[in-house]
Every structure is written in C-alpha cells, then in structure tokens.
C-alpha cells in the first residue's frame, strides 16, 4: 500500500475521478444496505429475541387446581396467602406481555394480574376459604406451578389417591420429563399450612390507629397531633373489646411509627380479619368545624367499571372464557378494590357506630359518609373509618386530650361494633 | 489505493455496521413510554381580534358547613380545553374574591396539566399542595374535590381528574383520599 501511495501522484486526473466514483458507489450501496437492514430489523429482532411474556393457564386435576405461569424468562417469585386469595409476586426487570391460556377450574374462581414498577402480581381467587397451596419453579420452559388444594380431607389418603390418579391423568397433559418434576410440589404440601393455626377458633378485629411516625396527621391549634390521639383511642378500644368479646384484636401499629397505607390493609388481610376499624381525628381550615362522622369506602369507579365489577362478581366463570387485555384490567381493578365486595356490610357497620357516637354528649352528628379512602380499598372484610372529633377545633382538641372523652368514644365505637357483630355473625 | 481514501471508507463501513448492530440489539422490544403529550403554554399566535372570555365556576370552602361553594370567574376562551382548564386551576389557586376559605393551600403552584384522550385530566401541583395542607379528612376531601369538581363541572371533555405532586403520582395528599386512580366528581359536596 505504501508503495502504491508513491505512485498515485503520477496517476492521471481521469483515474482520480474514477476512484472517487468507486468510493461514492460503495458508500451508496452501504447506505442502501443499511436502509434495507433497518426495515428488516423489527422482524428479525422479534425472531431472534422473542418478546418477554407471561402466560397463565388454569386446569384441574382430580382433587386440586393448578395455576401455571409459563415464560421465556426465568421467574423469580414469592407467594403470599391472603384470605381466599393467593398473591404471587413475580420480579420483572422489563415489561412482560400477558398472555392467557386455558381456564377450567372448580377450585379457582378467578385469576388476574396487577403490574407494579418492577414486578407483577398474580391474584388467584380461590373458591373455598379453607385451602393450602404448594408451588414449584421449573425450567425449559420457565414455569411456575402453583397447586391449590382444598383443606379438610386427610392428606395421606389423598396423596395416595393422587399418585394413582396422577399416573393415569397427568401423562396425557404433560410430557414424560415433566411428570417426574411435578411430584415436588405435592410432597411439600403438608408443611405449607402457615395460616391455619392462626385462623383457628377466634376471629380477628383490626384496629388501625390513623397516621404515625413522620405522618403526624392533622394538628390542633395547641399542638395536639392526630397520630397521638388515634393511638391512644385505639389502645382503649382494644382493651374494651378484649374485655367483652372473645375476639383477637390486632393493631396496625401499637407505637409511634410510620405504617404505609397498603401495609395496613395487608395486615388485615394476612390476619384474615373479620372487621377493620380505622380511627382518625378530623381537621378543617379554621376552628369552627366540629362533630363526629363515620366513613365507608366510595368506590370511585366509573359506571362502566362498576358494571364490570358487578358482572365479574356474578359471572366469573363466563368472563374467564373472554379473551383479551380488557378482562385483565377488570380483574386488576377487582383486587385493587377488595373492599368492593363488602360495601353493604361496611355501610351497616358505619351506621351502627355513628349512631352510638351520636349519643355522646356535645357531639355533633355529621352522619355516615363515603369517600375513596386509600387505607380501605384493599381491605377484604367489612371496614370503616371513624373521625371521632375535630382536632382543628380548640374545644374538641381539648376534649380529645381527656381520658374521659377518649374512654367514652372508645366505648361508643365498641358498642356499635358489638351490635354489628351480633347482626353480621348471624348471617 | 491511497490509505487516506481507504481509511474514511473503512471507518464509514465500521460505523454503519455498528449502527446496524445497535439497531438490532438495542432497539428490540422497548415499548414506547406512556407519557401524555404536553400542550404548549402560549395561547397561540397573536391575533387582531380582542380575546373572548367565558364564565366558569370555581369551588371554595366554608368553615360553616365544610362544603364546596361556587364562585364565578371569567377566563379567556381557547380552542384547546387544556388551556382554559389551566386558567381555571390558576384562578382556584389564586383563591376566593369573596372571602371564602381557600381550597388550595398557600404557596401552591400549578406546574403542568394534560388531558388525555379518554377524558382524564392530569393536574400537576407543586409540593406545597401537601406540605402546606392542614390535613384531616374533611380538609383533604374539600381540597381534592374542589380541584376535581372545578375541572369536571366546567369542561365537558374532562370526566375524571388525576392529581400529581411535583410531577409524580402520590398515594394520598396526607393519608386519606386515594389519588392513585383518577377521581370522579362529587356533586354531593357542593353547597345547595
């Protein structure tokens, strides 16, 4: 090359332009090639790197239901039992396309997805309240297999029965390689009964002292903080309930700490709560507002959403045969709003508590109201939020600080609760 | 061939190849972001005609009944709803002219507003909306629905309202009303 370089200056002008033409030609062909590549890219890319997906299918075996999540990516997951729900959290570094497979089950009522920032949650609604579950992670393809088993039957004969049936039914549905793997979840089953001992016997009432920690809530003109009043009231209410009723009482916080709102609902659901009462003190600009009010959830759902929610509740099996993303949206809304199923009972409990609060001396009746409270949306049991008095009103602020008033308020809420329990437990 | 001519050609080919590879690997399967398209702030080109105005209704508070009280205000008309809606919120932020209690805490600014196709308005406030808020369910309900009602009451195309703070979605303002889903108007909170 370097020797060539020496000879070039001697070359004629015409060979120079020739060479330039060749260069131009090459550059142009490269450009054309590039444009072609660009057009091919999307198809080629999808062929080589398949879109990440999560495929969900539900099927029944002899005496248990099975939910299978298949993916082209490894699945990192955790499972939590929440009343009649199983919540399967799947880590996701990238968005997945949600695909639906078959849905045929007597054990599983519905399934749905919720998407978080870097995770997805699969909500499995189980037909019966007494059940156990077992799960296993498989590869090639990546699969998460969750079995849902009704509780009650003696596990040992069932396991034997299942082994016999398994030999007959499973090879038809699965390949030979998978049949050996699928023994794993069944053997784990007897150990996977974490909630049963807790749920046995006594039912649980959740008391939720509003705010806490850095979230001080409303503030009185003399510096009284809502979070302190709510905790003190809640502890008094807990004591009264425990003295009078054979119920377990769990507080969402028992000291001055921050507890996220969703965590409060999760505590209730993890405890398979029977009732949920959130205690608050009210606030409004100025000092005049006064009185007590009791809230239950306002769904804040559009007519269309409300219609779908109602339809979902009544026709879950029919809807499961509908394909498409719209259906997943509905179910997402459904789990987001576990409280939607308890609005009637919640309104009754609100009425009973409010009418007891109205018997308190010098307390103005502000009535039963509805609002889309974040803390109530996810609670899967009758739930209310009580605003006992206005901390922003100096008179009520003073009252709220007294032991007498706190005891009277706690007693009123207890009486309302007890009336509701008598009514509700009968149903 | 001259090295000086070959070199650029080589560099160019390598560059194209790198671009092609980047296109295949980097470009694959990134769904587009779902950010709503911001609407320009200015009212459009200057025109000779005098600006048209229309009357809208804002909602302020009262410490007598804690309900939302209507108050009328003039705003400039604009072919884009979002521009009119921004004026409405700015008027709401400015406060009552008849001495009613402010629905928006002092110091709050409207940062941005979008209206997306299905009738959801996203209203982005500065953090004073929560920092300077007195808290309490009654106060929070009043502030949130003064905003939601002002927008849905005056603009037919706005069906629901999502309140953002500092450009981000917040769970609640101060621990009560759920702000994670767009809110529907509450006409029952308006004083008769």
């Amino acid at each position: 090359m370097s020797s060539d370089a020496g000879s070039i200056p001697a070359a004629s002008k015409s060979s120079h332009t020739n060479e330039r033409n060749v260069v131009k030609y090459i550059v142009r062909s490269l450009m054309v090639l590039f444009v072609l590549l660009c057009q091919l890219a999307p198809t080629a890319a999808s062929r080589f790197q398949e879109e990440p997906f999560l495929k969900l299918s539900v099927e029944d075996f002899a005496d248990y239901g099975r939910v299978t999540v298949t993916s082209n990516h490894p699945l990192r997951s955790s499972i939590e039992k929440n009343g009649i729900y199983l919540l399967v959290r799947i880590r996701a570094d990238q968005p997945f396309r949600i695909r639906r497979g078959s849905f045929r089950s007597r054990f599983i009522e519905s399934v749905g997805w919720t998407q978080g920032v870097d995770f997805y949650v699969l909500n499995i609604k189980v037909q019966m309240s007494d059940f156990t579950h077992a799960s296993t992670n498989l590869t090639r393809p990546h699969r998460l297999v969750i079995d849902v088993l009704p509780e009650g039957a003696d596990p040992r004969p069932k396991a034997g029965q299942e082994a016999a049936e398994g030999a007959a039914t499973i090879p038809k549905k699965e390949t030979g390689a998978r049949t050996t793997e699928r023994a794993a979840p069944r053997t784990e089953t007897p150990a996977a009964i974490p909630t049963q001992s807790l749920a046995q016997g006594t039912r649980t009432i959740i008391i939720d002292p509003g705010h806490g920690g850095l979230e001080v809530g409303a503030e009185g003109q003399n510096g009284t903080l809502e979070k302190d009043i709510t905790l003190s009231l809640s502890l008094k209410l807990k004591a009264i309930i425990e003295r009078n009723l054979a119920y377990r009482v769990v507080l969402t916080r028992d000291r001055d700490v921050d507890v996220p709102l969703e965590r409060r609902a999760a505590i209730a659901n993890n405890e398979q709560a029977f009732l949920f009462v959130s205690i608050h003190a009210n606030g409004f600009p100025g000092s005049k507002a006064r009185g007590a009010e009791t809230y239950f959830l306002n769904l804040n759902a559009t007519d269309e959403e409300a219609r779908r929610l109602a339809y979902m509740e009544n026709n879950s099996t029919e809807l499961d045969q509908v394909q498409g993303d719209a259906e997943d949206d509905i179910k997402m809304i459904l789990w987001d709003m576990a409280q939607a199923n308890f609005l009637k009972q919640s309104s009754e409990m609100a009425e009973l508590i409010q009418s007891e609060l109205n018997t308190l001396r010098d307390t103005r009746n502000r009535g039963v109201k509805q609002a889309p409270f974040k803390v109530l949306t996810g609670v899967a049991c009758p739930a209310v939020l009580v605003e006992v008095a206005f901390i922003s009103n100096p008179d009520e602020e003073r009252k709220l600080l007294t032991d007498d008033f706190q005891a009277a308020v706690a007693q009123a809420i207890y009486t309302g609760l007890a009336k509701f329990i008598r009514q509700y437990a009968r149903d | 061939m001259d090295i000086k001519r070959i070199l650029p050609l080589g560099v160019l080919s390598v560059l194209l190849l790198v671009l092609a590879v980047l296109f295949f690997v980097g470009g694959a399967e990134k769904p587009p972001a779902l950010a709503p398209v911001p609407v320009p702030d200015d009212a459009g080109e200057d025109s000779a005609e005098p600006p048209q105005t229309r009357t809208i209704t804002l909602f302020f508070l009262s410490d007598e009944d804690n309900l939302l009280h209507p108050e009328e205000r003039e705003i400039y008309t604009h072919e884009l709803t979002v521009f009119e809606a921004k004026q409405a919120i700015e008027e709401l932020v400015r406060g009552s002219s008849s001495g009613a209690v402010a629905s928006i805490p002092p110091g709050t600014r409207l940062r941005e507003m979008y209206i997306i196709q299905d009738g959801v308005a996203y209203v982005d406030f500065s953090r004073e909306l929560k920092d300077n808020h007195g808290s309490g369910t009654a106060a929070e309900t009043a502030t949130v629905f003064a905003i939601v009602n002002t927008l849905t009451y005056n603009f037919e195309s706005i069906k629901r309202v999502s309140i953002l703070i500092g450009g981000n979605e917040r769970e609640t303002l101060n621990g009560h009303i759920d702000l994670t889903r767009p809110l529907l108007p509450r006409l029952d909170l308006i004083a008769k």
Side-chain angles (χ1 to χ4, degrees), chain A residues 211 217-218 226 281-284 387, chain B residues 133-141 174 176:
Chain A
H211 310 279
E226 182 184 355
N282 222 332
F284 198 82
E387 293 285 353
Chain B
H133 200 272
S135 191
T137 290
E140 204 173 303
T141 308
N174 274 317
H176 303 104

Side-chain angles (χ1 to χ4, degrees), chain A residues 352-398:
Chain A
L352 289 166
I353 291 175
Q354 182 63 30
S355 62
E356 292 305 321
L357 290 171
N358 293 342
T359 65
L360 294 174
R361 233 164 50 99
D362 297 333
T363 289
R364 182 177 155 202
N365 174 16
R366 296 175 62 95
V368 170
K369 296 180 176 179
Q370 268 185 289
F373 279 100
K374 182 70 198 169
V375 72
L376 299 180
T377 52
V379 178
C381 69
V384 296
L385 187 146
V386 187
E387 293 285 353
V388 299
F390 275 78
I391 206 168
S392 54
N393 178 320
D395 290 340
E396 297 205 336
E397 179 187 6
R398 249 191 312 279

Side-chain angles (χ1 to χ4, degrees), chain A residues 172-366:
Chain A
K172 282 183 210 150
K173 298 197 177 197
E174 297 181 294
T175 65
R178 286 163 73 183
T179 21
T180 50
E181 284 170 318
R182 65 159 299 282
R186 303 289 297 144
T187 52
E188 290 165 13
T189 305
I193 333 169
T195 45
Q196 197 55 26
S197 55
L198 269 182
Q200 247 160 18
T202 51
R203 283 161 155 176
T204 306
I205 293 172
I206 306 289
I207 302 174
D208 173 45
H211 310 279
L214 291 172
E215 297 282 331
V216 298
E219 199 174 336
Q221 287 175 14
N222 300 311
T224 312
L225 299 178
E226 182 184 355
K227 63 169 185 177
D228 298 327
I229 299 294
T230 60
L231 181 58
S232 172
L233 270 168
S234 298
L235 290 166
K236 287 192 168 67
L237 177 58
K238 180 180 196 278
I240 299 177
I241 294 173
E242 284 175 340
R243 208 162 45 232
N244 294 291
L245 298 172
Y247 282 77
R248 213 171 130 250
V249 178
V250 172
L251 296 179
T252 55
R253 65 179 180 98
D254 56 6
R255 63 217 139 85
D256 186 16
V257 285
D258 256 296
V259 182
L261 297 176
E262 279 175 357
R263 175 90 198 108
R264 297 172 192 245
I267 290 170
N269 295 343
N270 285 333
E271 296 286 349
Q272 305 190 346
F274 182 57
L275 301 174
F276 181 96
V277 183
S278 188
I279 308 287
H280 283 248
N282 222 332
F284 198 82
S287 55
K288 285 185 183 169
R290 63 187 186 90
E293 56 195 22
T294 309
Y295 284 87
F296 66 104
L297 184 71
N298 173 335
L299 266 190
N300 181 42
T302 59
D303 291 348
E304 175 68 0
E305 284 165 349
R307 198 181 59 75
R308 286 174 176 178
L309 278 166
Y311 189 80
M312 266 301 298
E313 279 307 291
N314 301 326
N315 302 283
S316 52
T317 47
E318 245 173 80
L319 254 184
D320 285 323
Q321 288 152 26
V322 181
Q323 297 288 316
D325 293 344
E327 186 200 357
D328 291 322
D329 289 345
I330 302 167
K331 285 175 177 169
M332 221 182 269
I333 293 166
L334 197 69
W335 175 245
D336 251 10
M337 295 198 163
Q339 178 58 203
N341 301 334
F342 300 93
L343 290 184
K344 191 170 172 291
Q345 294 99 313
S346 299
S347 76
E348 287 165 8
M349 177 157 68
E351 291 287 352
L352 289 166
I353 291 175
Q354 182 63 30
S355 62
E356 292 305 321
L357 290 171
N358 293 342
T359 65
L360 294 174
R361 233 164 50 99
D362 297 333
T363 289
R364 182 177 155 202
N365 174 16
R366 296 175 62 95

Side-chain angles (χ1 to χ4, degrees), chain A residues 4 8 16 19 30 41 44 211 217 261 280 282-284 288 298 300-301 305 337 366 370 372-374 387, chain B residues 1-2 5 16 23-24 62-64 66 135-139 172 174 176-178 180-184 186:
Chain A
D4 269 4
I8 282 173
H16 223 95
E19 235 175 77
L30 275 170
H211 310 279
L261 297 176
H280 283 248
N282 222 332
F284 198 82
K288 285 185 183 169
N298 173 335
N300 181 42
E305 284 165 349
M337 295 198 163
R366 296 175 62 95
Q370 268 185 289
F373 279 100
K374 182 70 198 169
E387 293 285 353
Chain B
M1 283 272 258
D2 191 348
R5 296 219 174 84
L16 280 171
F23 198 88
F24 270 92
S62 152
D63 60 359
E64 294 296 337
N66 315 128
S135 191
T137 290
T172 64
N174 274 317
H176 303 104
I177 305 298
D178 185 355
T180 62
R181 304 181 70 235
L183 290 153
L184 290 160
R186 283 286 299 271

Side-chain angles (χ1 to χ4, degrees), chain B residues 74-179:
Chain B
E74 293 291 310
I75 58 162
Y76 293 115
T77 56
H78 194 278
E79 57 183 296
L80 291 176
T81 305
V82 73
F83 185 69
E84 288 188 5
K86 272 185 173 179
Q87 293 178 68
I89 293 299
E90 269 154 7
E91 290 300 319
L92 193 69
V93 166
R94 192 163 292 141
S96 170
S97 54
S98 66
V101 179
S103 19
I104 309 286
T108 306
R109 284 176 304 107
L110 170 65
R111 291 180 79 238
E112 194 48 270
M113 188 189 306
Y114 319 101
I115 301 172
I116 62 167
Q117 267 176 348
D118 56 355
V120 181
Y122 287 82
V123 202
D124 181 10
F125 289 98
S126 64
R127 52 175 303 141
E128 287 82 6
L129 184 70
K130 72 170 179 63
D131 289 351
N132 295 351
H133 200 272
S135 191
T137 290
E140 204 173 303
T141 308
T143 296
V144 167
F145 288 101
I147 297 165
V148 175
N149 283 3
T150 293
L151 288 173
T152 50
Y153 196 86
N154 294 295
F155 305 101
E156 210 186 323
S157 62
I158 300 177
K159 308 289 184 207
R160 291 190 288 168
V161 178
S162 202
I163 297 170
L164 309 179
I165 292 169
N168 297 310
E169 188 183 80
R170 255 187 85 84
E171 200 174 50
T172 64
L173 207 55
N174 274 317
H176 303 104
I177 305 298
D178 185 355
L179 298 182

Side-chain angles (χ1 to χ4, degrees), chain A residues 147-181:
Chain A
D147 288 344
V148 174
L149 309 94
E151 186 63 71
D154 186 4
R156 250 168 264 154
K158 196 169 69 185
Q161 189 191 342
E162 198 266 331
E165 274 162 351
T169 56
I170 283 137
K172 282 183 210 150
K173 298 197 177 197
E174 297 181 294
T175 65
R178 286 163 73 183
T179 21
T180 50
E181 284 170 318

